[in-house]
Amino acid sequence: MPLAPAARTMIEQLEAGGGPALWEMSVEDARAMSAVMGALDEPPEVATIEDRVIPGSAGEIPLRIYAPDAPAPRPVIAFFHGGGFVICSVETHDGLARRLANAAGAVVVSVEYRLAPEARCPAAAQDCYAATQWIHEHAAELGADPDRLVVAGDSAGGNLAAVVALMAREQGAPPIRQQVLVYPVIDAACDAPSYTENAEGYFLEATGMRWFWDHYLGPDGDGAHHHASPIRASDLSGLPPAVVITAEFDPLRDEGEAYAEALQAAGVLVTVRRYDGMIHGFVSMPMLFPEAGDALTLIVDALQGLMTG
């Protein structure tokens, strides 16, 4: 399928704006750019929003808690924002978190984990795991059901959701009922065919993704460790059911789909959908892509048994 016209228009407008490529920017400038793009969203209203800070193993972890107008106890979703482990924030993903809370009728807890290069791998995953433990322990306080705990994230956040699911299996807690991986970062090798097919010209570029990994791993990081690259885990059995969403024109497409296949081969129930014509990040851009709404519906439908169980 050809690239969606809305995606082509967006990419052409970004190219016309000029400026350096992501990998030519300082980290500070890249974060400023992501904040500007995040501010373009028009988030819906949600019943209540609360900012809190919880203790973590390396300091405090900020959270933003979204509660929809739905009867308690509700499912609860630990949400991890994307941004290549380097950029973006709870603020840039505010709209997506709101839409997820409203659509799923679930409490969504968005986690402000530590970013690289100030905090290298596995710091982000450790923060997200600690936050997920806290969410489970404090579910009743949040008006949520501790037995209906979901981890979810987009891009690097999808990586973190997958890694938290692995950590929870390794530690025996907390019990996670579902993982939602939206065009997830899965493998530091960056060598899937889609890295060549979609190397440049489609918003997220292969060189930019390698720039993210360089910052996240640093000179001494182990990209082959499964807490960095979940697909490198020696055993994927016993993990929670997964929803995996990919985009056709995305360097990450093939690694996300390979992870879905590996989970299925290990006996994990998986719902996987590739969105043809789409680019990385489309789920956060409903103002441009109707497919974003369809993806949200897919996620909610896949969780429906959990939502009512």
Side-chain angles (χ1 to χ4, degrees), residues 83-132:
F85 314 103
V86 176
I87 63 174
C88 295
S89 65
V90 164
E91 202 64 52
T92 62
H93 283 62
D94 179 68
L96 180 54
R98 289 170 181 250
R99 285 186 285 273
L100 183 58
N102 286 339
V107 177
V108 172
V109 183
S110 189
V111 180
E112 196 76 277
Y113 55 85
R114 287 172 289 165
L115 297 177
E118 295 89 343
R120 307 279 195 186
C121 180
Q126 290 170 342
D127 285 356
C128 291
Y129 177 66
T132 303

mmCIF file of all heavy atoms in Angstrom, residues 83-132:
data_model
loop_
_atom_site.group_PDB
_atom_site.id
_atom_site.type_symbol
_atom_site.label_atom_id
_atom_site.label_comp_id
_atom_site.label_asym_id
_atom_site.label_seq_id
_atom_site.Cartn_x
_atom_site.Cartn_y
_atom_site.Cartn_z
ATOM 1 N N GLY A 83 9.757 7.893 22.732
ATOM 2 C CA GLY A 83 10.735 8.961 22.618
ATOM 3 C C GLY A 83 12.168 8.451 22.597
ATOM 4 O O GLY A 83 13.100 9.193 22.932
ATOM 5 N N GLY A 84 12.332 7.188 22.231
ATOM 6 C CA GLY A 84 13.682 6.655 22.067
ATOM 7 C C GLY A 84 14.505 6.615 23.336
ATOM 8 O O GLY A 84 15.736 6.587 23.265
ATOM 9 N N PHE A 85 13.857 6.601 24.483
ATOM 10 C CA PHE A 85 14.525 6.598 25.793
ATOM 11 C C PHE A 85 15.245 7.914 26.089
ATOM 12 O O PHE A 85 15.897 8.041 27.130
ATOM 13 C CB PHE A 85 15.563 5.460 25.912
ATOM 14 C CG PHE A 85 15.107 4.115 25.446
ATOM 15 C CD1 PHE A 85 15.516 3.610 24.224
ATOM 16 C CD2 PHE A 85 14.267 3.349 26.240
ATOM 17 C CE1 PHE A 85 15.094 2.364 23.781
ATOM 18 C CE2 PHE A 85 13.843 2.092 25.808
ATOM 19 C CZ PHE A 85 14.262 1.604 24.578
ATOM 20 N N VAL A 86 15.137 8.898 25.194
ATOM 21 C CA VAL A 86 15.937 10.127 25.280
ATOM 22 C C VAL A 86 15.064 11.370 25.348
ATOM 23 O O VAL A 86 15.376 12.322 26.071
ATOM 24 C CB VAL A 86 16.895 10.224 24.068
ATOM 25 C CG1 VAL A 86 17.678 11.538 24.066
ATOM 26 C CG2 VAL A 86 17.860 9.038 24.027
ATOM 27 N N ILE A 87 13.986 11.396 24.573
ATOM 28 C CA ILE A 87 13.136 12.582 24.483
ATOM 29 C C ILE A 87 11.710 12.216 24.908
ATOM 30 O O ILE A 87 11.431 11.087 25.287
ATOM 31 C CB ILE A 87 13.149 13.184 23.063
ATOM 32 C CG1 ILE A 87 12.564 12.194 22.042
ATOM 33 C CG2 ILE A 87 14.565 13.574 22.668
ATOM 34 C CD1 ILE A 87 12.414 12.762 20.631
ATOM 35 N N CYS A 88 10.836 13.201 24.846
ATOM 36 C CA CYS A 88 9.413 13.073 25.188
ATOM 37 C C CYS A 88 9.220 12.905 26.689
ATOM 38 O O CYS A 88 10.184 12.811 27.451
ATOM 39 C CB CYS A 88 8.732 11.955 24.403
ATOM 40 S SG CYS A 88 8.683 12.289 22.621
ATOM 41 N N SER A 89 7.944 12.903 27.097
ATOM 42 C CA SER A 89 7.622 12.984 28.516
ATOM 43 C C SER A 89 6.162 12.627 28.730
ATOM 44 O O SER A 89 5.400 12.401 27.777
ATOM 45 C CB SER A 89 7.858 14.419 29.014
ATOM 46 O OG SER A 89 6.950 15.308 28.361
ATOM 47 N N VAL A 90 5.759 12.626 29.982
ATOM 48 C CA VAL A 90 4.348 12.503 30.315
ATOM 49 C C VAL A 90 3.552 13.596 29.612
ATOM 50 O O VAL A 90 2.435 13.371 29.137
ATOM 51 C CB VAL A 90 4.175 12.573 31.846
ATOM 52 C CG1 VAL A 90 2.734 12.839 32.224
ATOM 53 C CG2 VAL A 90 4.660 11.283 32.492
ATOM 54 N N GLU A 91 4.140 14.781 29.513
ATOM 55 C CA GLU A 91 3.434 15.913 28.904
ATOM 56 C C GLU A 91 3.208 15.705 27.416
ATOM 57 O O GLU A 91 2.113 15.975 26.898
ATOM 58 C CB GLU A 91 4.234 17.202 29.141
ATOM 59 C CG GLU A 91 3.429 18.469 29.057
ATOM 60 C CD GLU A 91 2.366 18.566 30.127
ATOM 61 O OE1 GLU A 91 2.681 18.393 31.319
ATOM 62 O OE2 GLU A 91 1.194 18.814 29.757
ATOM 63 N N THR A 92 4.218 15.228 26.691
ATOM 64 C CA THR A 92 4.058 15.055 25.242
ATOM 65 C C THR A 92 3.045 13.961 24.916
ATOM 66 O O THR A 92 2.446 13.973 23.834
ATOM 67 C CB THR A 92 5.395 14.699 24.556
ATOM 68 O OG1 THR A 92 5.874 13.448 25.063
ATOM 69 C CG2 THR A 92 6.442 15.779 24.774
ATOM 70 N N HIS A 93 2.853 13.010 25.830
ATOM 71 C CA HIS A 93 1.938 11.899 25.596
ATOM 72 C C HIS A 93 0.641 12.026 26.390
ATOM 73 O O HIS A 93 -0.093 11.055 26.564
ATOM 74 C CB HIS A 93 2.643 10.573 25.924
ATOM 75 C CG HIS A 93 3.593 10.136 24.855
ATOM 76 N ND1 HIS A 93 4.699 10.878 24.487
ATOM 77 C CD2 HIS A 93 3.595 9.048 24.044
ATOM 78 C CE1 HIS A 93 5.349 10.254 23.516
ATOM 79 N NE2 HIS A 93 4.694 9.154 23.235
ATOM 80 N N ASP A 94 0.363 13.237 26.827
ATOM 81 C CA ASP A 94 -0.845 13.494 27.608
ATOM 82 C C ASP A 94 -2.106 13.117 26.827
ATOM 83 O O ASP A 94 -3.016 12.486 27.366
ATOM 84 C CB ASP A 94 -0.878 14.974 28.002
ATOM 85 C CG ASP A 94 -2.112 15.357 28.788
ATOM 86 O OD1 ASP A 94 -2.245 14.906 29.937
ATOM 87 O OD2 ASP A 94 -2.951 16.112 28.249
ATOM 88 N N GLY A 95 -2.159 13.489 25.557
ATOM 89 C CA GLY A 95 -3.348 13.208 24.756
ATOM 90 C C GLY A 95 -3.601 11.721 24.595
ATOM 91 O O GLY A 95 -4.741 11.251 24.725
ATOM 92 N N LEU A 96 -2.541 10.963 24.310
ATOM 93 C CA LEU A 96 -2.697 9.522 24.134
ATOM 94 C C LEU A 96 -3.145 8.869 25.434
ATOM 95 O O LEU A 96 -4.013 7.985 25.431
ATOM 96 C CB LEU A 96 -1.389 8.912 23.642
ATOM 97 C CG LEU A 96 -1.380 7.402 23.396
ATOM 98 C CD1 LEU A 96 -2.493 6.981 22.458
ATOM 99 C CD2 LEU A 96 -0.025 6.963 22.854
ATOM 100 N N ALA A 97 -2.581 9.298 26.550
ATOM 101 C CA ALA A 97 -2.978 8.729 27.836
ATOM 102 C C ALA A 97 -4.451 9.035 28.135
ATOM 103 O O ALA A 97 -5.189 8.165 28.630
ATOM 104 C CB ALA A 97 -2.085 9.277 28.949
ATOM 105 N N ARG A 98 -4.888 10.242 27.838
ATOM 106 C CA ARG A 98 -6.297 10.601 28.054
ATOM 107 C C ARG A 98 -7.224 9.742 27.197
ATOM 108 O O ARG A 98 -8.250 9.230 27.681
ATOM 109 C CB ARG A 98 -6.518 12.080 27.720
ATOM 110 C CG ARG A 98 -5.916 13.066 28.706
ATOM 111 C CD ARG A 98 -5.987 14.477 28.125
ATOM 112 N NE ARG A 98 -5.406 15.479 28.987
ATOM 113 C CZ ARG A 98 -6.103 16.410 29.650
ATOM 114 N NH1 ARG A 98 -7.411 16.454 29.540
ATOM 115 N NH2 ARG A 98 -5.486 17.293 30.405
ATOM 116 N N ARG A 99 -6.883 9.613 25.922
ATOM 117 C CA ARG A 99 -7.737 8.832 25.028
ATOM 118 C C ARG A 99 -7.794 7.373 25.449
ATOM 119 O O ARG A 99 -8.853 6.727 25.374
ATOM 120 C CB ARG A 99 -7.236 8.973 23.584
ATOM 121 C CG ARG A 99 -7.580 10.316 22.948
ATOM 122 C CD ARG A 99 -7.206 10.373 21.488
ATOM 123 N NE ARG A 99 -5.780 10.524 21.289
ATOM 124 C CZ ARG A 99 -5.146 11.698 21.247
ATOM 125 N NH1 ARG A 99 -5.812 12.821 21.375
ATOM 126 N NH2 ARG A 99 -3.841 11.740 21.059
ATOM 127 N N LEU A 100 -6.673 6.851 25.908
ATOM 128 C CA LEU A 100 -6.640 5.462 26.357
ATOM 129 C C LEU A 100 -7.511 5.271 27.594
ATOM 130 O O LEU A 100 -8.265 4.295 27.692
ATOM 131 C CB LEU A 100 -5.192 5.050 26.628
ATOM 132 C CG LEU A 100 -4.945 3.597 27.034
ATOM 133 C CD1 LEU A 100 -5.455 2.638 25.971
ATOM 134 C CD2 LEU A 100 -3.450 3.372 27.280
ATOM 135 N N ALA A 101 -7.434 6.205 28.535
ATOM 136 C CA ALA A 101 -8.252 6.109 29.752
ATOM 137 C C ALA A 101 -9.735 6.135 29.408
ATOM 138 O O ALA A 101 -10.520 5.304 29.902
ATOM 139 C CB ALA A 101 -7.902 7.241 30.706
ATOM 140 N N ASN A 102 -10.133 7.077 28.568
ATOM 141 C CA ASN A 102 -11.546 7.203 28.217
ATOM 142 C C ASN A 102 -12.047 5.994 27.431
ATOM 143 O O ASN A 102 -13.131 5.470 27.693
ATOM 144 C CB ASN A 102 -11.770 8.475 27.406
ATOM 145 C CG ASN A 102 -11.701 9.736 28.248
ATOM 146 O OD1 ASN A 102 -11.861 9.693 29.464
ATOM 147 N ND2 ASN A 102 -11.452 10.873 27.614
ATOM 148 N N ALA A 103 -11.257 5.549 26.448
ATOM 149 C CA ALA A 103 -11.707 4.457 25.588
ATOM 150 C C ALA A 103 -11.780 3.136 26.334
ATOM 151 O O ALA A 103 -12.698 2.332 26.121
ATOM 152 C CB ALA A 103 -10.785 4.327 24.378
ATOM 153 N N ALA A 104 -10.813 2.895 27.208
ATOM 154 C CA ALA A 104 -10.744 1.622 27.923
ATOM 155 C C ALA A 104 -11.545 1.625 29.223
ATOM 156 O O ALA A 104 -11.751 0.561 29.812
ATOM 157 C CB ALA A 104 -9.287 1.269 28.214
ATOM 158 N N GLY A 105 -11.961 2.805 29.680
ATOM 159 C CA GLY A 105 -12.624 2.868 30.976
ATOM 160 C C GLY A 105 -11.702 2.421 32.090
ATOM 161 O O GLY A 105 -12.124 1.805 33.067
ATOM 162 N N ALA A 106 -10.425 2.752 31.935
ATOM 163 C CA ALA A 106 -9.398 2.293 32.874
ATOM 164 C C ALA A 106 -8.637 3.465 33.461
ATOM 165 O O ALA A 106 -8.500 4.516 32.821
ATOM 166 C CB ALA A 106 -8.416 1.362 32.152
ATOM 167 N N VAL A 107 -8.127 3.293 34.673
ATOM 168 C CA VAL A 107 -7.187 4.250 35.236
ATOM 169 C C VAL A 107 -5.867 4.086 34.485
ATOM 170 O O VAL A 107 -5.352 2.973 34.351
ATOM 171 C CB VAL A 107 -6.974 4.017 36.741
ATOM 172 C CG1 VAL A 107 -5.929 4.982 37.298
ATOM 173 C CG2 VAL A 107 -8.297 4.164 37.483
ATOM 174 N N VAL A 108 -5.332 5.169 33.957
ATOM 175 C CA VAL A 108 -4.048 5.140 33.261
ATOM 176 C C VAL A 108 -3.042 5.905 34.114
ATOM 177 O O VAL A 108 -3.279 7.061 34.484
ATOM 178 C CB VAL A 108 -4.149 5.763 31.856
ATOM 179 C CG1 VAL A 108 -2.764 5.916 31.219
ATOM 180 C CG2 VAL A 108 -5.036 4.904 30.964
ATOM 181 N N VAL A 109 -1.927 5.277 34.413
ATOM 182 C CA VAL A 109 -0.866 5.899 35.197
ATOM 183 C C VAL A 109 0.349 6.045 34.283
ATOM 184 O O VAL A 109 1.003 5.064 33.935
ATOM 185 C CB VAL A 109 -0.512 5.077 36.441
ATOM 186 C CG1 VAL A 109 0.553 5.808 37.259
ATOM 187 C CG2 VAL A 109 -1.758 4.820 37.287
ATOM 188 N N SER A 110 0.616 7.281 33.883
ATOM 189 C CA SER A 110 1.719 7.576 32.964
ATOM 190 C C SER A 110 2.976 7.857 33.773
ATOM 191 O O SER A 110 2.970 8.672 34.701
ATOM 192 C CB SER A 110 1.355 8.777 32.087
ATOM 193 O OG SER A 110 2.291 8.971 31.055
ATOM 194 N N VAL A 111 4.054 7.191 33.415
ATOM 195 C CA VAL A 111 5.269 7.172 34.229
ATOM 196 C C VAL A 111 6.345 8.066 33.621
ATOM 197 O O VAL A 111 6.709 7.916 32.455
ATOM 198 C CB VAL A 111 5.803 5.730 34.367
ATOM 199 C CG1 VAL A 111 7.071 5.705 35.228
ATOM 200 C CG2 VAL A 111 4.733 4.823 34.957
ATOM 201 N N GLU A 112 6.880 8.984 34.429
ATOM 202 C CA GLU A 112 7.981 9.866 34.001
ATOM 203 C C GLU A 112 9.297 9.224 34.404
ATOM 204 O O GLU A 112 9.923 9.589 35.395
ATOM 205 C CB GLU A 112 7.820 11.246 34.643
ATOM 206 C CG GLU A 112 8.656 12.337 33.998
ATOM 207 C CD GLU A 112 8.068 12.803 32.675
ATOM 208 O OE1 GLU A 112 8.320 12.135 31.637
ATOM 209 O OE2 GLU A 112 7.359 13.819 32.663
ATOM 210 N N TYR A 113 9.700 8.232 33.635
ATOM 211 C CA TYR A 113 10.927 7.492 33.934
ATOM 212 C C TYR A 113 12.162 8.318 33.567
ATOM 213 O O TYR A 113 12.087 9.293 32.799
ATOM 214 C CB TYR A 113 10.933 6.153 33.186
ATOM 215 C CG TYR A 113 10.734 6.267 31.687
ATOM 216 C CD1 TYR A 113 11.802 6.505 30.838
ATOM 217 C CD2 TYR A 113 9.463 6.124 31.119
ATOM 218 C CE1 TYR A 113 11.633 6.612 29.464
ATOM 219 C CE2 TYR A 113 9.279 6.230 29.748
ATOM 220 C CZ TYR A 113 10.367 6.470 28.929
ATOM 221 O OH TYR A 113 10.184 6.585 27.560
ATOM 222 N N ARG A 114 13.307 7.917 34.096
ATOM 223 C CA ARG A 114 14.557 8.624 33.792
ATOM 224 C C ARG A 114 14.946 8.444 32.328
ATOM 225 O O ARG A 114 14.751 7.375 31.755
ATOM 226 C CB ARG A 114 15.678 8.101 34.691
ATOM 227 C CG ARG A 114 15.589 8.534 36.137
ATOM 228 C CD ARG A 114 16.634 7.819 36.984
ATOM 229 N NE ARG A 114 16.303 6.397 37.146
ATOM 230 C CZ ARG A 114 17.148 5.475 37.575
ATOM 231 N NH1 ARG A 114 18.410 5.805 37.846
ATOM 232 N NH2 ARG A 114 16.755 4.220 37.718
ATOM 233 N N LEU A 115 15.499 9.494 31.753
ATOM 234 C CA LEU A 115 15.888 9.493 30.346
ATOM 235 C C LEU A 115 17.397 9.363 30.196
ATOM 236 O O LEU A 115 18.172 9.726 31.075
ATOM 237 C CB LEU A 115 15.420 10.781 29.661
ATOM 238 C CG LEU A 115 13.904 11.015 29.601
ATOM 239 C CD1 LEU A 115 13.619 12.369 28.958
ATOM 240 C CD2 LEU A 115 13.184 9.901 28.846
ATOM 241 N N ALA A 116 17.799 8.841 29.038
ATOM 242 C CA ALA A 116 19.205 8.797 28.645
ATOM 243 C C ALA A 116 19.550 10.089 27.892
ATOM 244 O O ALA A 116 18.665 10.741 27.334
ATOM 245 C CB ALA A 116 19.440 7.582 27.741
ATOM 246 N N PRO A 117 20.796 10.486 27.856
ATOM 247 C CA PRO A 117 21.966 9.763 28.337
ATOM 248 C C PRO A 117 22.277 9.981 29.825
ATOM 249 O O PRO A 117 23.222 9.396 30.336
ATOM 250 C CB PRO A 117 23.096 10.338 27.481
ATOM 251 C CG PRO A 117 22.676 11.758 27.248
ATOM 252 C CD PRO A 117 21.179 11.698 27.098
ATOM 253 N N GLU A 118 21.479 10.813 30.514
ATOM 254 C CA GLU A 118 21.757 11.037 31.927
ATOM 255 C C GLU A 118 21.628 9.745 32.725
ATOM 256 O O GLU A 118 22.352 9.543 33.707
ATOM 257 C CB GLU A 118 20.797 12.096 32.485
ATOM 258 C CG GLU A 118 20.976 13.477 31.876
ATOM 259 C CD GLU A 118 20.143 13.704 30.642
ATOM 260 O OE1 GLU A 118 19.654 12.708 30.047
ATOM 261 O OE2 GLU A 118 19.967 14.866 30.248
ATOM 262 N N ALA A 119 20.687 8.894 32.342
ATOM 263 C CA ALA A 119 20.480 7.604 33.007
ATOM 264 C C ALA A 119 20.416 6.531 31.918
ATOM 265 O O ALA A 119 19.474 6.495 31.138
ATOM 266 C CB ALA A 119 19.201 7.619 33.831
ATOM 267 N N ARG A 120 21.432 5.705 31.864
ATOM 268 C CA ARG A 120 21.536 4.711 30.796
ATOM 269 C C ARG A 120 20.698 3.466 31.110
ATOM 270 O O ARG A 120 20.244 3.262 32.245
ATOM 271 C CB ARG A 120 22.996 4.279 30.628
ATOM 272 C CG ARG A 120 24.003 5.390 30.446
ATOM 273 C CD ARG A 120 24.066 5.894 29.023
ATOM 274 N NE ARG A 120 25.268 6.705 28.809
ATOM 275 C CZ ARG A 120 25.531 7.371 27.684
ATOM 276 N NH1 ARG A 120 24.701 7.313 26.677
ATOM 277 N NH2 ARG A 120 26.642 8.092 27.582
ATOM 278 N N CYS A 121 20.566 2.626 30.093
ATOM 279 C CA CYS A 121 19.912 1.331 30.247
ATOM 280 C C CYS A 121 20.579 0.542 31.386
ATOM 281 O O CYS A 121 21.816 0.531 31.463
ATOM 282 C CB CYS A 121 20.037 0.560 28.936
ATOM 283 S SG CYS A 121 19.296 -1.080 28.928
ATOM 284 N N PRO A 122 19.809 -0.062 32.281
ATOM 285 C CA PRO A 122 18.362 -0.280 32.274
ATOM 286 C C PRO A 122 17.591 0.666 33.205
ATOM 287 O O PRO A 122 16.563 0.256 33.763
ATOM 288 C CB PRO A 122 18.249 -1.727 32.751
ATOM 289 C CG PRO A 122 19.341 -1.817 33.797
ATOM 290 C CD PRO A 122 20.472 -0.943 33.284
ATOM 291 N N ALA A 123 18.063 1.896 33.403
ATOM 292 C CA ALA A 123 17.428 2.799 34.366
ATOM 293 C C ALA A 123 15.952 3.019 34.055
ATOM 294 O O ALA A 123 15.101 2.978 34.962
ATOM 295 C CB ALA A 123 18.167 4.138 34.389
ATOM 296 N N ALA A 124 15.624 3.257 32.793
ATOM 297 C CA ALA A 124 14.228 3.504 32.429
ATOM 298 C C ALA A 124 13.364 2.298 32.775
ATOM 299 O O ALA A 124 12.262 2.436 33.343
ATOM 300 C CB ALA A 124 14.125 3.832 30.944
ATOM 301 N N ALA A 125 13.842 1.117 32.446
ATOM 302 C CA ALA A 125 13.083 -0.099 32.735
ATOM 303 C C ALA A 125 12.930 -0.307 34.244
ATOM 304 O O ALA A 125 11.865 -0.732 34.715
ATOM 305 C CB ALA A 125 13.762 -1.302 32.097
ATOM 306 N N GLN A 126 13.968 -0.006 35.003
ATOM 307 C CA GLN A 126 13.877 -0.149 36.461
ATOM 308 C C GLN A 126 12.827 0.792 37.037
ATOM 309 O O GLN A 126 12.055 0.404 37.922
ATOM 310 C CB GLN A 126 15.251 0.117 37.077
ATOM 311 C CG GLN A 126 16.275 -0.966 36.775
ATOM 312 C CD GLN A 126 17.686 -0.589 37.173
ATOM 313 O OE1 GLN A 126 17.993 0.588 37.370
ATOM 314 N NE2 GLN A 126 18.562 -1.574 37.277
ATOM 315 N N ASP A 127 12.793 2.034 36.545
ATOM 316 C CA ASP A 127 11.774 2.972 37.006
ATOM 317 C C ASP A 127 10.370 2.474 36.657
ATOM 318 O O ASP A 127 9.442 2.562 37.471
ATOM 319 C CB ASP A 127 11.993 4.347 36.377
ATOM 320 C CG ASP A 127 13.152 5.106 36.993
ATOM 321 O OD1 ASP A 127 13.764 4.612 37.961
ATOM 322 O OD2 ASP A 127 13.461 6.215 36.485
ATOM 323 N N CYS A 128 10.217 1.983 35.442
ATOM 324 C CA CYS A 128 8.896 1.525 35.005
ATOM 325 C C CYS A 128 8.451 0.293 35.784
ATOM 326 O O CYS A 128 7.267 0.167 36.130
ATOM 327 C CB CYS A 128 8.913 1.251 33.502
ATOM 328 S SG CYS A 128 9.080 2.754 32.492
ATOM 329 N N TYR A 129 9.387 -0.592 36.084
ATOM 330 C CA TYR A 129 9.033 -1.757 36.889
ATOM 331 C C TYR A 129 8.641 -1.334 38.309
ATOM 332 O O TYR A 129 7.623 -1.807 38.855
ATOM 333 C CB TYR A 129 10.189 -2.749 36.928
ATOM 334 C CG TYR A 129 9.912 -3.953 37.806
ATOM 335 C CD1 TYR A 129 8.925 -4.867 37.460
ATOM 336 C CD2 TYR A 129 10.618 -4.157 38.989
ATOM 337 C CE1 TYR A 129 8.651 -5.970 38.278
ATOM 338 C CE2 TYR A 129 10.357 -5.257 39.800
ATOM 339 C CZ TYR A 129 9.375 -6.156 39.439
ATOM 340 O OH TYR A 129 9.101 -7.236 40.245
ATOM 341 N N ALA A 130 9.416 -0.419 38.907
ATOM 342 C CA ALA A 130 9.093 0.062 40.251
ATOM 343 C C ALA A 130 7.726 0.734 40.273
ATOM 344 O O ALA A 130 6.937 0.546 41.211
ATOM 345 C CB ALA A 130 10.175 1.027 40.730
ATOM 346 N N ALA A 131 7.435 1.514 39.235
ATOM 347 C CA ALA A 131 6.132 2.184 39.165
ATOM 348 C C ALA A 131 5.009 1.169 39.015
ATOM 349 O O ALA A 131 3.937 1.316 39.620
ATOM 350 C CB ALA A 131 6.123 3.169 37.997
ATOM 351 N N THR A 132 5.240 0.136 38.230
ATOM 352 C CA THR A 132 4.218 -0.897 38.044
ATOM 353 C C THR A 132 3.946 -1.631 39.358
ATOM 354 O O THR A 132 2.789 -1.940 39.688
ATOM 355 C CB THR A 132 4.649 -1.872 36.947
ATOM 356 O OG1 THR A 132 4.898 -1.141 35.733
ATOM 357 C CG2 THR A 132 3.580 -2.911 36.670
#
